[in-house]
Amino acid sequence: MPVEAKLEATGRPASPPLTERQEARRRRILHASAQLASRGGFDAVQMREVAESSQVALGTLYRYFPSKVHLLVATMQDQLERMHGTLRKKPPQGETAAERVAETLMRAFRALQREPHLADAMVRALTFADRSVSPEVDQVSRQTTVIILDAMGQENPTPEQLSAVRVIEHTWHSALITWLSGRASIAQVKIDIETVCRLIDLTAPQNKP
């Protein structure tokens, strides 16, 4: 079973697939959200403006995304999906899995660095998310996990490897927050990411006792 399918097996009932028209509408909404956030950050994303920019009724927008936090977390998942597509076209070149994952995460970090207002808006939304946003937050986590496992070249990770991936995800997210708040430099972020990625080699099956 592909790793994407494994990660989707969360026990939740599957949502009905969107029609082509609904998917196009959803993509317009996410594009409008990203554009507004890129210009002015979290506060610039107002649901009425998103509806107007994406040419949907305000009520329709709320059916797709019940709140701004839902919308911005979904926007982060969409941005990560786009990054994943770019990474697949140009895979990381490190000799070890740890090096490839570190390179991948730094490339993703630098992509967010180029859009600091957007990055700040998405991270703030993740921070504000409560239980009602769990499905969207889970999608962000799954997308990040798939990106890391792709860089590792691992389709059938062990429980120990998945645990290491979760720790790496937490560190990457924390590094993004500390950088956005001005409490860490890019050089410090790089050191932290490279350090935590060594867990990958430590949890590789051949290194287990």
Side-chain angles (χ1 to χ4, degrees):
M1 181 187 293
V3 68
E4 289 91 340
K6 290 181 181 179
L7 294 170
E8 286 293 338
T10 61
R12 290 192 181 90
S15 300
L18 298 178
T19 65
E20 187 175 335
R21 185 176 180 182
Q22 288 171 328
E23 181 60 32
R25 186 181 296 135
R26 185 177 186 276
R27 297 218 64 79
R28 290 202 310 273
I29 291 169
L30 292 172
H31 177 73
S33 169
Q35 288 292 309
L36 288 167
S38 293
R39 291 199 291 267
F42 185 86
D43 293 336
V45 181
Q46 301 298 322
M47 297 297 270
R48 187 171 296 279
E49 287 190 40
V50 172
E52 291 173 359
S53 297
S54 56
Q55 298 179 319
V56 302
L58 185 60
T60 300
L61 172 59
Y62 277 108
R63 284 198 294 274
Y64 280 82
F65 303 103
S67 73
K68 179 165 77 170
V69 170
H70 286 81
L71 173 57
L72 281 169
V73 174
T75 300
M76 185 164 196
Q77 193 277 332
D78 184 61
Q79 293 294 312
L80 287 170
E81 191 174 317
R82 290 170 183 269
M83 287 180 197
H84 194 195
T86 301
L87 289 163
R88 278 178 161 165
K89 290 176 184 176
K90 189 179 178 183
Q93 300 300 311
E95 292 184 6
T96 67
E99 289 173 354
R100 292 192 299 273
V101 172
E103 180 188 334
T104 292
L105 292 178
M106 286 308 299
R107 282 168 62 183
F109 191 92
R110 290 189 182 99
L112 292 171
Q113 185 188 8
R114 290 191 288 272
E115 296 279 3
H117 290 306
L118 174 59
D120 183 64
M122 296 186 300
V123 170
R124 285 178 67 182
L126 277 175
T127 303
F128 295 153
D130 58 20
R131 287 181 181 272
S132 71
V133 198
S134 291
E136 289 81 4
V137 172
D138 287 348
Q139 286 286 350
V140 169
S141 179
R142 281 195 290 270
Q143 186 65 56
T144 309
T145 297
V146 170
I147 289 172
I148 293 172
L149 291 175
D150 259 15
M152 290 169 62
Q154 182 59 259
E155 290 189 0
N156 296 291
T158 65
E160 291 83 0
Q161 287 174 313
L162 283 175
S163 181
V165 169
R166 285 193 295 271
V167 174
I168 291 166
E169 287 180 34
H170 296 326
T171 302
W172 186 74
H173 183 238
S174 176
L176 187 55
I177 291 173
T178 55
W179 173 74
L180 286 167
S181 65
R183 292 182 287 120
S185 66
I186 296 298
Q188 289 171 315
V189 168
K190 186 172 186 292
I191 290 170
D192 289 351
I193 293 299
E194 289 175 347
T195 299
V196 76
C197 283
R198 292 175 192 151
L199 285 174
I200 292 170
D201 293 337
L202 292 176
T203 55
Q206 64 269 25
N207 290 332
K208 291 173 64 179

